[in-house]
């Protein structure tokens, strides 16, 4: 499946290696991922004396895919939108990479026009496109993104390859880059402009570009904002359970099938780039709902969202209702954790 070219025409060899690694995951099963897994969890935050994860506390292993978010980097702040210091994030990325983990980064950028957060939906996209009144502001923001990404180096000074997922869930209404607030044409232009500025202007060559809508019903819906095969490296999809398990399984099955059909047509790897059930109140959610629906579908990974507190978490902590089932889930040979890379 491997493409001879990537979205960034000057992508580094390690980015091609990451693409191949991702493609090979689906031959073995799928990788388990978790957002901010080593940054904080239920009742703890990372400090320099400890390296842990709620995932590790329950199953004795770390995720294979590590999610991070660089929201607030655009302002040159010391911490991201979830209070994680960027220097800490950098160190956690370096450690995860060294141990064989895959790093994926999202960017909940503030609204450049209103100066509100990502969820403040004042019209902005058309103003940050070239010729727009906020283009220079956006360009300065991207320079800060570039500066951070270019700091991510391993112990040999090699840049760490990152699966970068900007402007996700663009077919929803909740972000300023969502479809009610910009047209598909404007979104595609924003994607191309972002790629161009990062790769050409700022010489960032350690990114794989991941396109990830929110849930869809058809391939047409999935492709509505798709900027083109030549500027996308990987396909994603975000989908959360909000209602019954039965309804979620039906929706998940449909969405994974749509994702698979598109991916097979464009010959790119694909993943569930965000998924979860907040507070995991179904005791057997992992084995009978999630895995039962997505096993053998060809996805590369599933990324569960973050563990903020006992009121908002997506992976069990010790003694949580679904912890024993999560342990059973983690031991399935086709569900790949970090330890499976070291066998």
């Amino acid at each position: 499946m491997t493409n001879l070219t990537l979205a960034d025409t000057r992508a580094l060899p390690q980015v091609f290696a990451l693409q191949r690694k991702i493609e090979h995951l689906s031959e073995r099963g799928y990788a388990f991922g978790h957002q901010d897994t080593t940054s904080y969890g239920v009742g703890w935050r990372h400090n320099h004396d400890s390296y842990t994860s709620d995932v590790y506390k329950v199953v004795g292993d770390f995720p294979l895919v590590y999610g991070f978010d660089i929201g607030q980097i655009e302002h040159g702040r010391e911490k991201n939108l979830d209070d994680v210091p960027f220097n800490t994030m950098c160190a956690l990325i370096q450690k995860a990479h060294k141990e064989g983990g895959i790093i994926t980064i999202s960017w909940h950028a503030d609204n450049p026009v209103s100066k509100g957060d990502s969820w403040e939906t004042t019209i902005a996209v058309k103003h940050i496109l070239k010729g727009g009144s906020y283009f220079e502001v956006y360009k300065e923001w991207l320079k800060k993104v570039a500066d951070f990404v270019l700091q991510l180096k391993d112990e040999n000074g090699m840049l760490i390859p990152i699966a970068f997922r900007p402007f996700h869930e663009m077919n929803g209404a909740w972000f300023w880059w969502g479809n009610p607030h910009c047209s598909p044409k404007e979104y595609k232009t924003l994607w191309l402009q972002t790629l161009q500025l990062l790769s050409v202007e700022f010489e960032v060559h350690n990114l794989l570009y991941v396109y990830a809508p929110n849930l869809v019903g058809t391939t047409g819906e999935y492709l509505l904002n798709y900027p083109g095969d030549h500027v996308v490296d990987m396909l994603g999809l975000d989908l959360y359970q909000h209602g019954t398990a039965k309804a979620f399984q039906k929706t998940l099955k449909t969405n994974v099938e749509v994702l698979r059909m598109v991916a097979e047509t464009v010959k790119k790897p694909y993943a569930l780039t965000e998924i979860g059930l907040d507070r995991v109140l179904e005791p057997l959610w992992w084995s009978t709902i999630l895995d039962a629906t997505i096993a053998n579908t060809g996805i590369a990974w599933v990324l569960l969202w973050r563990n903020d507190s006992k009121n908002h978490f997506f992976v069990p902590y010790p003694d949580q209702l679904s912890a024993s089932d999560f342990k059973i889930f983690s031991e399935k040979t086709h569900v790949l954790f970090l330890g499976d890379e070291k066998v």
Side-chain angles (χ1 to χ4, degrees), residues 73 86-87 90-91 93-94 144-154 157-160 206:
I73 198 80
F86 284 107
N87 59 2
C90 185
I93 287 172
Q94 288 166 329
K144 292 184 174 71
V145 171
D147 290 345
F148 177 75
V149 169
L150 292 173
Q151 284 178 45
L152 303 176
K153 295 180 180 179
D154 66 17
M158 299 273 284
L159 284 162
I160 294 170
N206 57 323

Side-chain angles (χ1 to χ4, degrees), residues 157-274:
M158 299 273 284
L159 284 162
I160 294 170
I162 306 292
F164 183 45
R165 185 171 61 100
F167 304 120
H168 62 301
E169 300 173 11
M170 77 300 295
N171 56 330
W174 41 91
F175 294 134
W176 56 263
W177 59 82
N179 276 156
H181 321 297
C182 77
S183 68
K185 184 179 179 183
E186 287 168 337
Y187 180 87
K188 292 173 191 179
T189 305
L190 174 62
W191 182 282
L192 294 171
Q193 175 177 287
T194 303
L195 169 63
Q196 179 83 359
L197 286 169
L198 284 173
S199 62
V200 179
E201 184 96 5
F202 302 132
E203 299 191 353
V204 174
H205 302 303
N206 57 323
L207 300 180
L208 275 179
Y209 289 82
V210 185
Y211 168 81
N214 193 59
L215 71 94
V216 295
T218 64
T219 55
E221 282 180 46
Y222 186 89
L223 292 167
L224 180 66
N225 302 278
Y226 184 62
D229 295 348
H230 62 300
V231 291
V232 171
D233 299 312
M234 182 173 178
L235 305 181
L237 194 105
D238 295 3
L239 198 158
Y240 289 89
Q241 179 179 337
H242 296 293
T244 66
K246 188 175 180 182
F248 172 70
Q249 280 187 291
K250 185 178 179 183
T251 302
L252 180 57
K253 187 178 180 185
T254 300
N255 276 263
V256 171
E257 182 61 20
V258 167
L259 183 58
R260 186 183 64 78
M261 284 193 290
V262 175
E264 287 181 352
T265 301
V266 301
K267 296 185 168 48
K268 297 183 190 297
Y270 52 106
L272 288 165
T273 38
E274 283 185 39

Side-chain angles (χ1 to χ4, degrees), residues 17-292:
L18 174 60
Q19 180 91 336
R20 287 192 296 274
K21 181 175 180 174
I22 291 167
E23 288 173 355
H24 290 318
L25 288 173
S26 59
E27 295 167 8
R28 299 162 54 201
Y30 61 87
F32 179 81
H34 186 211
Q35 183 75 9
D36 287 331
T37 196
T38 50
S39 304
Y40 53 82
V42 176
W44 63 273
R45 290 192 77 83
H46 172 80
N47 64 58
H48 295 297
D49 301 319
S50 68
Y51 183 80
T52 192
S53 161
D54 285 343
V55 172
Y56 181 79
K57 290 179 179 184
V58 175
V59 305
D61 201 351
F62 287 92
L64 181 47
V65 178
Y66 293 71
F68 296 90
D69 194 277
I70 55 169
Q72 298 295 303
I73 198 80
E74 63 271 18
H75 304 302
R77 305 248 167 92
E78 288 185 8
K79 296 180 178 181
N80 82 344
L81 74 169
D82 297 312
D83 216 33
V84 179
F86 284 107
N87 59 2
T88 298
M89 189 187 299
C90 185
L92 292 175
I93 287 172
Q94 288 166 329
K95 183 168 175 60
H97 173 72
K98 183 178 182 179
E99 295 182 349
I102 292 170
I103 314 300
T104 181
I105 289 179
S106 52
W107 181 26
H108 283 88
D110 281 354
N111 187 312
V113 173
S114 70
K115 300 181 173 57
D117 62 21
S118 295
W119 296 266
E120 203 295 301
T121 56
T122 296
I123 298 294
V125 171
K126 70 179 182 182
H127 300 300
I128 61 174
L129 300 178
K130 193 161 188 178
S133 52
Y134 285 80
F135 172 72
E136 291 299 331
V137 171
Y138 182 64
K139 191 173 170 181
E140 286 173 20
W141 282 16
L142 269 189
K143 178 66 168 71
K144 292 184 174 71
V145 171
D147 290 345
F148 177 75
V149 169
L150 292 173
Q151 284 178 45
L152 303 176
K153 295 180 180 179
D154 66 17
E155 67 267 36
N156 300 315
M158 299 273 284
L159 284 162
I160 294 170
I162 306 292
F164 183 45
R165 185 171 61 100
F167 304 120
H168 62 301
E169 300 173 11
M170 77 300 295
N171 56 330
W174 41 91
F175 294 134
W176 56 263
W177 59 82
N179 276 156
H181 321 297
C182 77
S183 68
K185 184 179 179 183
E186 287 168 337
Y187 180 87
K188 292 173 191 179
T189 305
L190 174 62
W191 182 282
L192 294 171
Q193 175 177 287
T194 303
L195 169 63
Q196 179 83 359
L197 286 169
L198 284 173
S199 62
V200 179
E201 184 96 5
F202 302 132
E203 299 191 353
V204 174
H205 302 303
N206 57 323
L207 300 180
L208 275 179
Y209 289 82
V210 185
Y211 168 81
N214 193 59
L215 71 94
V216 295
T218 64
T219 55
E221 282 180 46
Y222 186 89
L223 292 167
L224 180 66
N225 302 278
Y226 184 62
D229 295 348
H230 62 300
V231 291
V232 171
D233 299 312
M234 182 173 178
L235 305 181
L237 194 105
D238 295 3
L239 198 158
Y240 289 89
Q241 179 179 337
H242 296 293
T244 66
K246 188 175 180 182
F248 172 70
Q249 280 187 291
K250 185 178 179 183
T251 302
L252 180 57
K253 187 178 180 185
T254 300
N255 276 263
V256 171
E257 182 61 20
V258 167
L259 183 58
R260 186 183 64 78
M261 284 193 290
V262 175
E264 287 181 352
T265 301
V266 301
K267 296 185 168 48
K268 297 183 190 297
Y270 52 106
L272 288 165
T273 38
E274 283 185 39
I275 194 168
L277 170 62
D278 200 358
R279 292 178 294 144
V280 206
L281 294 172
E282 301 267 1
L284 303 179
W285 192 80
W286 303 99
S287 57
T288 66
I289 298 170
L290 181 64
D291 185 62

